[in-house]
Amino acid sequence: MKFFIDTANLAQIKEAQELGVLDGVTTNPSLMAKEGITGRNNILKHYVDICNIVDGDVSAEVISTDFASMVKEGEELAELHEQIVVKVPMIKDGVKAIKYFSNKGIRTNCTLVFSVGQALLAAKAGATYVSPFIGRLDDISTDGLNLISDIRLVYDNYQFETQILAASVRHTMHVIDCAKLGSDVITGPLSAIEGLLKHPLTDSGLAKFLEDYNKGN
Ligand code: G3P
């Protein structure tokens, strides 16, 4: 299972990389704006900065919504760095663009996926990753984890190679539940990954070991 961090914050990306369990980064226009990264050139430079910190895949999102512009933009993004995966929204022209990129050997992440039908289309088009947004489904009283389970079933039925990238992961239980359901990747905040560390028995056990060690010294 791969762990991606869902942020454009370089300090957090460095911190996650140093933990030694990071497999990649996902970003989107909102995450870029949150870090104050605006303007095409600054955004492109920021993607390269991220690639220089991490070893794995870095999703870079197109902002065009028509096929020709998506292709132009995606090819420009893919040329920035070998770690770049072109992130394409689940719309009709996006499906066409994913198929085009797939034929050219350019890796893609199909984003804004909220149904198993959309995930099926993404796989048929040859997406490298599909990104179901589980937190945003939970936000509207729809179980996001059910979607992960349904996509896993459909992909396994036909041996689709598209990797399920559970996105909009908000907390540590999302990570654990996605692991149980066979999601290939999760992307979320660093806090969701670091939450996996925590157990009170670990803390109290360590405190006791140190206390007992110090008795003899
Ligand atoms: O990876 C998708 C993500 O950026 C959306 O997360 O928390 O805004 O729903 P969120």
Side-chain angles (χ1 to χ4, degrees):
M1 185 187 198
K2 296 181 192 170
F3 284 179
F4 288 0
I5 187 171
D6 195 31
T7 183
N9 182 291
L10 297 183
Q12 281 192 21
I13 293 168
K14 275 184 198 140
E15 201 178 335
Q17 173 69 19
E18 282 164 11
L19 189 59
V21 298
L22 189 68
D23 300 295
V25 176
T26 51
T27 60
N28 62 40
S30 304
L31 293 171
M32 283 287 184
K34 191 174 165 195
E35 299 307 319
I37 314 294
T38 55
R40 189 78 188 143
N41 290 342
N42 291 333
I43 289 172
L44 296 183
K45 181 186 172 304
H46 205 71
Y47 285 137
V48 175
D49 289 345
I50 293 173
C51 288
N52 288 333
I53 296 172
V54 301
D55 299 323
D57 292 346
V58 175
S59 288
E61 187 154 344
V62 299
I63 44 103
S64 311
T65 52
D66 67 278
F67 174 75
S69 310
M70 278 180 177
V71 162
K72 184 169 178 291
E73 205 186 331
E75 285 178 336
E76 187 184 5
L77 290 170
E79 275 182 18
L80 280 179
H81 199 284
E82 62 188 7
Q83 287 166 240
I84 293 285
V85 174
V86 179
K87 204 170 179 187
V88 179
M90 171 38 78
I91 56 175
K92 195 168 180 180
D93 279 32
V95 173
K96 291 183 197 170
I98 289 168
K99 181 66 184 174
Y100 172 89
F101 290 133
S102 170
N103 286 341
K104 290 201 75 176
I106 294 174
R107 294 176 308 140
T108 53
N109 174 358
C110 182
T111 189
L112 289 166
V113 165
F114 294 94
S115 75
V116 69
Q118 291 178 326
L120 182 56
L121 265 180
K124 286 284 293 172
T128 312
Y129 296 102
V130 65
S131 286
F133 278 30
I134 63 173
R136 290 191 191 185
L137 282 170
D138 290 354
D139 287 344
I140 58 159
S141 309
T142 303
D143 189 350
L145 290 167
N146 274 346
L147 178 57
I148 299 298
S149 175
D150 285 348
I151 298 172
R152 181 76 282 154
L153 175 70
V154 168
Y155 282 11
D156 287 352
N157 279 347
Y158 299 98
Q159 287 85 48
F160 283 119
E161 286 178 9
T162 301
Q163 295 175 58
I164 303 172
L165 195 173
S168 185
V169 158
R170 302 273 176 77
H171 50 71
T172 302
M173 275 314 294
H174 270 158
V175 178
I176 293 168
D177 286 331
C178 284
K180 287 182 183 172
L181 294 171
S183 188
D184 299 291
V185 193
I186 59 92
T187 191
L190 181 57
S191 59
I193 296 171
E194 287 189 334
L196 296 167
L197 278 168
K198 294 178 190 160
H199 199 288
L201 292 179
T202 302
D203 297 339
S204 59
L206 180 61
K208 178 71 175 146
F209 285 158
L210 296 180
E211 183 191 318
D212 289 344
Y213 173 83
N214 285 325
K215 279 180 189 163
N217 292 287

